[in-house]
Amino acid sequence: MSMNSTRPQRISILGSTGSIGTSTLDVLGRHPERYEVFALSAMSRVDELAAQCLQWKPRFAVMPDAALARQLREKLREQGGHTEVLDGARALSDISAHPDVDMVMAAIVGAAGLAPALAAARAGKRLLLANKEAIVLGGALFMRAVEEGGATLLPVDSEHSAIFQCLPEDRKTWHQRIDHIVLTASGGPFRQRDPATLRDVTPDQACAHPNWVMGRKISVDSATMMNKALEVIEARWLFDLKPEQVRVLIHPQSLIHSMVVCRDMSVLAQLGTPDMRVPIAYALSFPERIESGAQRLDLLTCPSLSFEEADERRFPGLHLSWAALRGAEGSTAVLNAANEEAVAAFLAGSLRFDQIHQVNQASLEQLQPEAGECESVEGLLALDARARRHAQDLMKAISA
């Protein structure tokens, strides 16, 4: 359906109670004439999802757990809500590929977001991708689904959105223009901390990001720079680049969100206040631009812009991205799965901060993907499960 249609665009938001989901709803609320919420989903936050359903009145709401879905139904029934509540992983794919849906915000964290994102791609939806793991897990499979389904893929990560905004609408010309791209990174809370002290980092310290308000898992990834490692992998697939064409610089102010270095050595950069509503609004309205609610960047009062190399002693995980991209197909899925397990263990207090990298590196070195595992969702999920078990075994050995 054309974005110029007179009827509102219907959107399914996967992960509506998270930071990306709530920011998306904030932007939608500024343009009620343009957008209509068709479906919402959450992992476990029943009260928050119930409140969203009462406010936005979607046709469907989904929770993966049947017991939590029953709680949501009861809450909505008590409060006069009329949203139909579904449960299970299949329901997430159903609301992504539903014929009445125009666009899908894929904001489920982790490997659980792969199947519904693929469903949206295969159904030819406008796919707003905030779940980087969907590409990290199955880059070739995912991009093939986008092409074959005729989907419009729009990145929501601030860095990839910045790259996308610096490039022309005609994707066929990208290779003629790009020498390389530069993803910027804030450096997180430990940019200037002595690497020798990182073993003593607590979960609350790791989650105290200096510039962004994010969920705990992605905050830890920012502290280790594994989020940037995953973004390197994502950028390779989104923009069809060679691994060496993706580079990273620390930019503590988080005002330049990423850059494209052109073949003539011109550098194109996208600047803005660190507010996820900007890339969300751009993805919702592309190729137009709509008001996002973000604060205007005042160049007269903003701090000086600086750049640093990423210290490999402090951020060793970043460099695993290029190793995974040069490894066997599926190596990026192994890295992602190991990292998810290691971060979960760290947040639970059973793994030290510095041991996250040990688990990730050992998993990448020791676990080899099998032939054919990356050719289907089922194969990728089997590889993901195998990598998680391997990481769990490694953590048991480390703590023994």
Side-chain angles (χ1 to χ4, degrees):
M1 175 180 171
S2 168
M3 287 296 290
N4 295 321
S5 171
T6 55
R7 79 157 172 83
Q9 296 287 289
R10 300 188 184 110
I11 181 169
S12 289
I13 304 177
L14 311 179
S16 65
T17 62
S19 60
I20 295 294
T22 56
S23 293
T24 301
L25 289 170
D26 181 90
V27 176
L28 296 179
R30 298 170 188 276
H31 306 278
E33 75 289 351
R34 293 181 64 118
Y35 305 106
E36 175 185 330
V37 177
F38 179 83
L40 300 172
S41 84
M43 175 62 72
S44 59
R45 298 175 182 172
V46 174
D47 291 342
E48 289 93 329
L49 186 55
Q52 289 179 345
C53 289
L54 292 171
Q55 178 180 355
W56 296 95
K57 299 177 176 57
R59 191 186 306 180
F60 299 108
V62 176
M63 302 206 77
D65 181 81
L68 293 177
R70 285 194 295 272
Q71 292 181 30
L72 179 61
R73 288 190 194 98
E74 184 60 30
K75 283 184 177 293
L76 292 177
R77 189 161 44 244
E78 291 172 354
Q79 299 178 65
H82 300 289
T83 296
E84 182 178 349
V85 179
L86 309 175
D87 63 82
R90 177 59 185 270
L92 291 172
S93 294
D94 289 343
I95 64 170
S96 300
H98 196 287
D100 291 342
V101 167
D102 300 299
M103 60 179 72
V104 176
M105 169 59 79
I108 294 175
V109 175
L114 173 62
L118 270 172
R122 288 168 173 159
K125 306 301 183 185
R126 171 180 283 236
L127 179 54
L128 286 57
L129 189 68
N131 171 277
K132 61 175 64 69
E133 291 87 353
I135 289 185
V136 171
L137 202 64
L141 180 69
F142 185 84
M143 297 307 293
R144 188 163 60 247
V146 169
E147 181 176 0
E148 293 175 354
T152 301
L153 180 61
L154 297 163
V156 172
D157 267 351
S158 60
E159 296 82 0
H160 301 100
S161 176
I163 298 298
F164 187 78
Q165 291 182 56
C166 290
L167 292 171
E169 290 179 29
D170 184 3
R171 296 171 186 249
K172 295 178 181 177
T173 68
W174 287 0
H175 276 203
Q176 302 167 18
R177 296 169 179 257
I178 298 175
D179 181 80
H180 65 276
I181 65 173
V182 178
L183 304 179
T184 56
S186 70
F190 308 134
R191 179 175 65 87
Q192 295 179 310
R193 181 161 171 161
D194 182 351
T197 69
L198 292 177
R199 61 176 288 136
D200 302 320
V201 164
T202 68
D204 284 345
Q205 289 172 331
C207 291
H209 195 281
N211 298 338
W212 300 92
V213 177
M214 305 179 291
R216 287 175 72 78
K217 193 270 181 183
I218 193 171
S219 294
V220 175
D221 282 348
S222 180
T224 62
M225 287 266 283
M226 270 304 300
N227 73 317
K228 207 56 52 177
L230 299 179
E231 287 170 13
V232 167
I233 295 166
E234 185 181 6
R236 173 265 177 271
W237 288 106
L238 281 173
F239 305 110
D240 192 21
L241 299 171
K242 298 175 183 177
E244 58 270 21
Q245 287 182 284
V246 186
R247 304 177 189 177
V248 174
L249 279 179
I250 301 263
H251 170 52
Q253 296 80 26
S254 294
L255 295 178
I256 294 179
H257 298 299
S258 278
M259 297 172 273
V260 174
V261 180
C262 302
R263 289 193 173 184
D264 63 1
M265 293 299 109
S266 296
V267 180
L268 308 178
Q270 187 262 334
L271 286 76
T273 52
D275 189 324
M276 285 305 300
R277 291 177 296 178
V278 174
I280 289 169
Y282 187 69
L284 283 167
S285 62
F286 175 81
E288 303 174 40
R289 288 184 183 267
I290 58 174
E291 193 264 326
S292 68
Q295 183 177 354
R296 186 188 306 274
L297 176 62
D298 185 347
L299 294 174
L300 294 177
T301 61
C302 73
S304 298
L305 307 182
S306 61
F307 303 92
E308 306 164 7
E309 290 283 355
D311 183 348
E312 190 169 356
R313 296 176 307 140
R314 188 177 285 107
F315 305 118
L318 171 62
H319 300 272
L320 295 179
S321 58
W322 290 282
L325 282 170
R326 294 187 177 102
E329 186 175 4
S331 296
T332 56
V334 171
L335 177 60
N336 178 70
N339 183 63
E340 286 191 19
E341 292 299 313
V343 170
F346 167 69
L347 289 172
S350 58
L351 192 72
R352 289 202 319 263
F353 182 80
D354 61 313
Q355 291 173 329
I356 295 173
H357 174 66
Q358 294 179 33
V359 173
N360 293 343
Q361 183 176 33
S363 296
L364 190 60
E365 292 173 350
Q366 296 172 12
L367 187 62
Q368 289 298 310
E370 297 175 357
E373 274 187 310
C374 301
E375 296 177 3
S376 67
V377 174
E378 294 76 19
L380 284 168
L381 293 179
L383 174 59
D384 176 79
R386 194 157 61 89
R388 289 174 189 276
R389 291 193 297 271
H390 188 86
Q392 290 164 4
D393 290 341
L394 284 170
M395 287 187 286
K396 289 177 184 177
I398 287 173
S399 60

